[in-house]
Amino acid sequence: MGVKVIKFGGSSVADADQLRKIRSIVEADTDRRYIVVSAPGKRHKGDNKVTDMLIMLNAQAEGNIPYDQLFGTVKARYTAIAEGLGLKTDLDAWFDEIAENIEKGCSEAYIVSRGEYLSARLIAEYLNYDFVDTKNLVLFDSRGRLMVEETNEALKEEISKHEHAVFPGFYGGYAGTDEICLLSRGGSDVTGSLVARAADASMYENWTDVSGMLMADPGIVSKPLPIKYISYVELRELSYMGASVLHEDAVFPARMAGIPINIRNTNAPEDPGTVISREGGEDGEFIISGIAGKPDFTVISIYKNMMNKEIGFVRRALAIIEDQRINFDHIPTGIDSLSMVIESKELEDKLDDVLDSFRHQLRPDEIIVEDKIALIAVVGRRMHKSIGVSARICTALADKGINIKMLNQGTNEINVIVGVDVCDFEEAVRVLYKEFVR
Ligand code: ASP
């Protein structure tokens, strides 16, 4: 027997019907003792997330615009849930307290955090679990940086007092104060991971509205297969390249403690979903785990005769983009050339200045800028030490007449990145999927 920490996202707590599903999921496994919840999300296309409504409500309150209507709409969401579940909760008292605090000029973080706070209180009541506020447990320093170890200690101590509990996700507080601090959007995933670490969980289950990760974007590849097992490192590579199921920061607390994360679907609880762990689990059928890509990069290539003999050249080139606060993704080099692969949005309004600095400070023979480059990551832990993966990538693309503009393999050998013209992007993803999967 182990402890499982389970997190339910916005669509899983959107209405009373969803909460009934949650109850069956919780009751199906007695290890599921600690629950982290989001604020109610969209019930259907075109619906509003409670968090978005609260952000808007705060803007209205700050701008002295009447917010009663929006306040009423938010209250109605929770009332419908409570009534739908037959709960006798005194929601008036909860909302009166919030209204009073808004009148007193409370912070935006307080208002926005009420989505998760109310959600967790209602769900705790419905499941007969304790409600545990995360305000004084998920701790931030005065600059809003998560205090990872202090949070772990505080959560650990609190968890030891509860057999079963529901925690609101997405927020905590500035250490030593009573002020709320929010995580970034989607941050309940992070709270779930922090609680999992503190509870020394055997599994962190993250319940959402998809049955785990897919091996490629279903908008590009028709019916891609699900990923059953993946390692933390592979997940990081794929999410960085746009395949997102979890908040970017959600992996590290679970990873620190070696706790596997299982992405599950509240609407299809029988599906096993994706398990993310240190080793990545059982050996799978395919040499790759997944393919992801982003279509909007710019490559700046700098050519200079005898560059390889000019000590400090790369450092000076990098200092220029650092001064401009530009993040780069890759720097493939040749003997007399250096390229920088940068997301195009990073260069907005800065490209001319960067090129001027390159010309003046590096005195190159030539600079060539190519935009509309797409990068595709072919990721798989089984690629490590296996021969011929890059060859297969190149041949498959060449056979379809797709030109490779860049090819980069990380030294960890779990990731090959190819750069192609943006017009070839989707076709290249399909070709690679076919080559390695089916
Ligand atoms: N409710 C917050 C959001 O919509 C946080 C979360 O759901 O994780 O971003």
Side-chain angles (χ1 to χ4, degrees):
M1 216 188 82
V3 172
K4 287 181 183 160
V5 169
I6 59 177
K7 181 256 165 179
F8 290 101
S11 61
S12 304
V13 297
D15 60 21
D17 282 344
Q18 291 301 88
L19 290 185
R20 275 188 274 275
K21 293 182 193 166
I22 284 193
R23 171 127 106 186
S24 323
I25 291 167
V26 172
E27 286 175 353
D29 185 344
T30 50
D31 289 352
R32 291 178 175 144
R33 288 171 41 203
Y34 302 113
I35 305 175
V36 174
V37 294
S38 285
K42 294 184 183 189
R43 294 159 292 186
H44 46 77
K45 236 176 155 209
D47 195 16
N48 290 315
K49 291 180 172 188
V50 165
T51 305
D52 290 328
M53 291 196 278
L54 292 171
I55 291 170
M56 175 81 82
L57 196 153
N58 173 69
Q60 293 180 344
E62 273 183 359
N64 285 324
I65 300 166
Y67 55 82
D68 317 23
Q69 201 183 342
L70 200 46
F71 192 85
T73 312
V74 173
K75 187 172 174 186
R77 284 290 300 265
Y78 289 95
T79 310
I81 294 176
E83 285 176 2
L85 298 173
L87 298 173
K88 300 272 171 286
T89 321
D90 185 3
L91 283 178
D92 286 339
W94 295 4
F95 276 88
D96 287 350
E97 184 187 326
I98 296 172
E100 251 172 57
N101 287 328
I102 297 177
E103 283 306 308
K104 281 191 213 147
C106 62
S107 67
E108 172 175 18
Y110 168 83
I111 297 182
V112 177
S113 69
R114 295 308 85 185
E116 269 67 16
Y117 172 83
L118 295 168
S119 181
R121 279 192 76 176
L122 257 191
I123 294 170
E125 197 165 315
Y126 176 52
L127 298 176
N128 209 8
Y129 274 34
D130 298 340
F131 164 75
V132 176
D133 198 351
T134 38
K135 185 174 74 173
N136 301 116
L137 301 175
V138 175
L139 301 172
F140 296 86
D141 68 14
S142 55
R143 289 166 65 184
R145 288 173 305 197
L146 183 64
M147 299 163 76
V148 178
E149 292 313 319
E150 290 81 350
T151 296
N152 191 44
E153 289 309 313
L155 281 170
K156 227 184 222 323
E157 198 189 325
E158 188 62 34
I159 286 169
S160 68
K161 299 179 198 155
H162 304 270
E163 194 58 25
H164 299 99
V166 182
F167 301 77
F170 187 40
Y171 73 91
Y174 291 101
T177 75
D178 233 14
E179 281 298 307
I180 300 268
C181 180
L182 297 176
L183 288 151
S184 54
R185 292 300 302 264
S188 303
D189 284 345
V190 184
T191 313
S193 192
L194 291 166
V195 173
R197 178 181 176 215
D200 206 4
S202 58
M203 180 70 85
Y204 167 29
E205 292 180 346
N206 189 293
W207 290 80
T208 171
D209 54 4
V210 290
S211 295
M213 288 181 78
L214 299 171
M215 291 188 78
D217 180 348
I220 299 177
V221 170
S222 149
K223 297 205 175 78
L225 294 176
I227 301 177
K228 288 191 191 135
Y229 302 100
I230 188 168
S231 67
Y232 300 125
V233 183
E234 289 172 293
L235 175 81
R236 171 100 180 104
E237 300 280 356
L238 285 173
S239 358
Y240 184 70
M241 288 300 280
S244 66
V245 273
L246 273 181
H247 186 290
E248 236 203 304
D249 297 336
V251 173
F252 82 90
R255 184 176 174 179
M256 281 168 97
I259 300 167
I261 305 171
N262 188 191
I263 313 277
R264 300 285 291 265
N265 188 349
T266 302
N267 305 318
E270 60 291 349
D271 288 352
T274 301
V275 177
I276 307 151
S277 65
R278 193 165 280 156
E279 283 77 29
E282 293 171 18
D283 258 358
E285 203 182 328
F286 310 106
I287 192 153
I288 69 161
S289 296
I291 300 172
K294 285 201 234 172
D296 212 357
F297 288 85
T298 296
V299 181
I300 305 174
S301 299
I302 305 167
Y303 299 87
K304 187 172 185 183
N305 201 19
M306 306 296 276
M307 182 192 286
N308 65 327
K309 292 276 190 302
E310 199 174 318
I311 289 173
F313 189 91
V314 177
R315 181 184 49 74
R316 279 182 285 131
L318 290 179
I320 291 168
I321 63 160
E322 184 182 343
D323 285 348
Q324 293 280 349
R325 315 290 313 148
I326 291 169
N327 210 3
F328 72 91
D329 279 72
H330 301 278
I331 40 167
T333 53
I335 297 176
D336 288 335
S337 67
L338 164 73
S339 299
M340 294 186 179
V341 184
I342 299 171
E343 264 198 273
S344 302
K345 63 174 190 281
E346 289 277 327
L347 288 165
E348 263 169 30
D349 309 328
K350 295 182 179 168
L351 183 60
D352 289 342
D353 287 346
V354 169
L355 296 180
D356 274 353
S357 303
F358 282 164
R359 285 189 194 103
H360 286 110
Q361 295 179 39
L362 304 174
R363 305 262 163 226
D365 299 330
E366 192 179 15
I367 298 182
I368 295 177
V369 179
E370 281 180 282
D371 60 0
K372 302 200 170 42
I373 302 288
L375 293 191
I376 301 168
V378 180
V379 175
R381 62 192 177 280
R382 288 175 291 274
M383 280 159 40
H384 180 67
K385 296 211 169 107
S386 75
I387 294 169
V389 177
S390 300
R392 280 174 72 184
I393 291 174
C394 295
T395 311
L397 293 175
D399 284 351
K400 289 284 176 208
I402 296 174
N403 181 34
I404 297 177
K405 307 211 104 179
M406 185 196 104
L407 184 73
N408 198 0
Q409 183 189 297
T411 38
N412 58 5
E413 288 185 65
I414 64 148
N415 193 9
V416 178
I417 308 267
V418 276
V420 297
D421 269 327
V422 88
C423 58
D424 291 327
F425 172 53
E426 297 202 350
E427 180 61 6
V429 171
R430 283 190 284 271
V431 166
L432 294 172
Y433 186 81
K434 188 145 190 274
E435 171 66 26
F436 290 103
V437 187
R438 60 174 190 195

